[in-house]
Amino acid sequence: MSATGEAAHDTRPFPVTHRLVLSIAVPMTLGFLTTPLLGLTDTAVVGRLGQPEALAGLAIGAIIFDLLYGSLSFFRTSTTGLAAQAFGRNDPRELQAVFWRALLSAVGLGLLMLLLAPVILAVGPDLMTSDADVADVVRNYFGIRVLSSPATFVNFAVLGLVFGRGRAMLGLGLQILLNGTNILVSIYLGLGLGWGIAGVAWGTVCAEVLAALVGLVVVVRGFPAGSRPARSEILDPGKLKQLFQMNADILIRSLVLNGAFVTMTRIGSSFGAVTLAANAVLINVFMLSAFFLDGLAGAAEQLSGRAVGANFRSSFDRALKLTAGWSFAMAGVLGVFFLAAGVPIIEVLTTSEEVRQVAARYLPWAALTGLTGALAFQMDGVFIGATWSREMRNMMLLSFAAYCAALAVLVPTLGNHGLWLAMNLFLLMRGLFLLALVPRKTAQSFPSAQ
């Protein structure tokens, strides 16, 4: 078996090594890190136009798509978990069926997004800004970029299958193709041809369609013809129900997680514009940590799912231990880095001296979020890979309730320090609540442990 987990189907318990964990986590992390580079490029392209309303419109449009696509990215994670289990069971027919179910769902959701686009266009921009010129820019950007919705969701399905099989290098290649094409075409259309914001939007459309076509060709050509599932297998009601239930659970989890940060922003606004701006700057510290921890969560997702599918308890336990160890090690390194380099990073993100001073005051809390969130990221990967999505959803709801209680107690007495303490407690509780369920769920998933 190869170190990347891409080898053919092995009937023995597969060895989970540090090399195997990193061979999945590192390429996934690098792929995730191409996303903020794309955002920076779009901002730079539009920024060179010298039109403040264009830059503001791009920011608002990007937020709308982040909310829509970020919340609906459950296709990628649920497909990864189900594909990993089929791969672990040495079941190539079900592996293909998992992909075709996800693909049909992705196309359907993409078409639904196109149908809802006029409603979003009519309501969304005016909710986000009162400036008519900025709202027009948002409509122009959104109206073009939304055309890529079917391709965007197809890319989620493709990456889900690729990561589920542990082919992280292929996943990295597809993400580089997607974001690299987006960057180059956006620069060419936006600046070279002078299309401005429309060029940036068309750059995204071209990149999403190209990546979807290439991904489909690569994935479908890799399917063995003799293991092609019948239509009845693809449309099996029980399997479809499992997919939809997982998607619903992960969607609820994602919405509640976003709600926690929205709540933090809303409460932070009561401390004044400077503190609100400082918190917004510091959230980037957590987001940067998340990009690195997501790669290890992806490794936990693939390896735990594969072990559950193969019914290899020893491989599952080893994956649990190694991915946890690497997650905490990464979080510790990130925490030290942000404590040491946080002030210069803050100075890059804002030119306001007042905001810089306030952000520096609360920097230790932001630097701590990687450590308090490390277990939650890893546990999310384990629970999605093992398809324990209902429990993950329930623990998210319980953690959010505890977070609200912490806010009610800590904010009135500690102010913004209390707000950041409550957020760190929320992240920590998510991980601990999920960890508490692992022994029982493991025993259920491995009734005849090998």
Side-chain angles (χ1 to χ4, degrees):
M1 181 178 299
S2 70
T4 62
E6 297 178 31
H9 316 290
D10 196 336
T11 57
R12 298 168 299 163
F14 59 96
V16 179
T17 63
H18 292 284
R19 182 182 178 188
L20 177 57
V21 170
L22 294 179
S23 72
I24 299 171
V26 172
M28 289 186 72
T29 299
L30 293 175
F32 294 146
L33 287 174
T34 62
T35 300
L37 179 61
L38 170 62
L40 290 173
T41 301
D42 287 350
T43 300
V45 169
V46 176
R48 290 182 65 86
L49 301 177
Q51 300 170 353
E53 65 275 7
L55 196 56
L58 172 67
I60 293 174
I63 289 172
I64 293 174
F65 277 103
D66 285 345
L67 289 173
L68 291 173
Y69 291 161
S71 298
L72 298 175
S73 62
F74 51 70
F75 272 117
R76 205 282 297 165
T77 50
S78 63
T79 304
T80 296
L82 295 171
Q85 290 195 15
F87 181 71
R89 288 194 303 272
N90 186 18
D91 189 349
R93 290 177 68 88
E94 178 59 18
L95 187 66
Q96 290 190 45
V98 166
F99 174 71
W100 293 119
R101 289 184 206 112
L103 186 66
L104 289 173
S105 301
V107 172
L109 187 60
L111 295 176
L112 178 62
M113 184 71 75
L114 292 179
L115 291 175
L116 293 176
V119 177
I120 300 173
L121 272 173
V123 178
D126 292 327
L127 288 177
M128 301 291 288
T129 179
S130 58
D131 188 309
D133 291 334
V134 173
D136 287 341
V137 172
V138 176
R139 290 189 177 92
N140 184 23
Y141 176 77
F142 183 93
I144 297 170
R145 186 175 166 184
V146 76
L147 297 175
S148 67
S149 292
T152 298
F153 294 120
V154 166
N155 284 322
F156 286 163
V158 168
L159 285 175
L161 180 81
V162 167
F163 288 143
R165 294 179 62 188
R167 302 186 64 185
M169 287 302 296
L170 174 57
L172 172 61
L174 291 173
Q175 288 179 290
I176 290 175
L177 173 66
L178 170 63
N179 292 325
T181 301
N182 199 339
I183 289 171
L184 294 176
V185 177
S186 294
I187 292 174
Y188 175 70
L189 297 179
L191 292 180
L193 297 185
W195 290 11
I197 192 79
V200 170
W202 280 115
T204 300
V205 173
C206 293
E208 292 282 4
V209 172
L210 176 64
L213 292 175
V214 172
L216 284 172
V217 169
V218 171
V219 166
V220 174
R221 288 184 62 182
F223 286 149
S227 301
R228 186 173 301 159
R231 182 182 303 176
S232 59
E233 293 177 274
I234 297 173
L235 301 178
D236 178 85
K239 298 292 187 179
L240 287 172
K241 181 180 179 182
Q242 180 187 29
L243 175 63
F244 295 150
Q245 184 61 60
M246 277 195 70
N247 287 337
D249 291 336
I250 298 171
L251 173 61
I252 293 171
R253 167 257 187 194
S254 299
L255 291 175
V256 174
L257 181 60
N258 289 334
F261 286 97
V262 170
T263 301
M264 181 181 183
T265 301
R266 179 66 185 86
I267 294 175
S269 66
S270 65
F271 300 134
V274 173
T275 300
L276 178 61
N279 286 348
V281 168
L282 291 175
I283 285 295
N284 286 282
V285 171
F286 171 74
M287 295 302 178
L288 287 171
S289 298
F291 281 117
F292 288 92
L293 294 174
D294 266 337
L296 288 160
E301 192 175 333
Q302 197 275 335
L303 295 173
S304 62
R306 184 178 171 192
V308 168
N311 193 32
F312 294 144
R313 171 69 182 268
S314 60
S315 298
F316 180 86
D317 290 342
R318 179 71 171 166
L320 195 69
K321 178 180 178 180
L322 292 191
T323 55
W326 278 108
S327 293
F328 279 108
M330 176 63 71
V333 170
L334 289 170
V336 172
F337 170 78
F338 286 124
L339 284 175
V343 172
I345 292 173
I346 291 169
E347 291 175 350
V348 170
L349 294 174
T350 178
T351 58
S352 169
E353 190 58 38
E354 193 175 8
V355 172
R356 287 175 174 178
Q357 292 176 3
V358 174
R361 187 186 311 156
Y362 299 106
L363 175 62
W365 290 117
L368 187 62
T369 55
L371 275 172
T372 55
L375 183 60
F377 277 89
Q378 186 241 358
M379 284 289 108
D380 274 353
V382 171
F383 274 63
I384 291 172
T387 61
W388 302 338
S389 60
R390 180 183 302 176
E391 289 76 13
M392 182 181 68
R393 176 202 66 193
N394 292 342
M395 292 305 99
M396 172 62 81
L397 293 171
L398 179 61
S399 299
F400 185 76
Y403 170 60
C404 291
L407 288 171
V409 173
L410 297 173
V411 172
T413 55
L414 300 176
N416 200 50
H417 286 289
L419 183 60
W420 276 101
L421 175 56
M423 173 54 68
N424 277 280
L425 288 174
F426 168 66
L427 296 171
L428 184 61
M429 286 185 290
R430 281 193 60 229
L432 292 176
F433 289 165
L434 290 171
L435 180 63
L437 296 180
V438 167
R440 176 171 63 85
K441 294 301 300 181
T442 303
Q444 292 174 357
S445 294
F446 299 94
S448 55
Q450 299 186 34

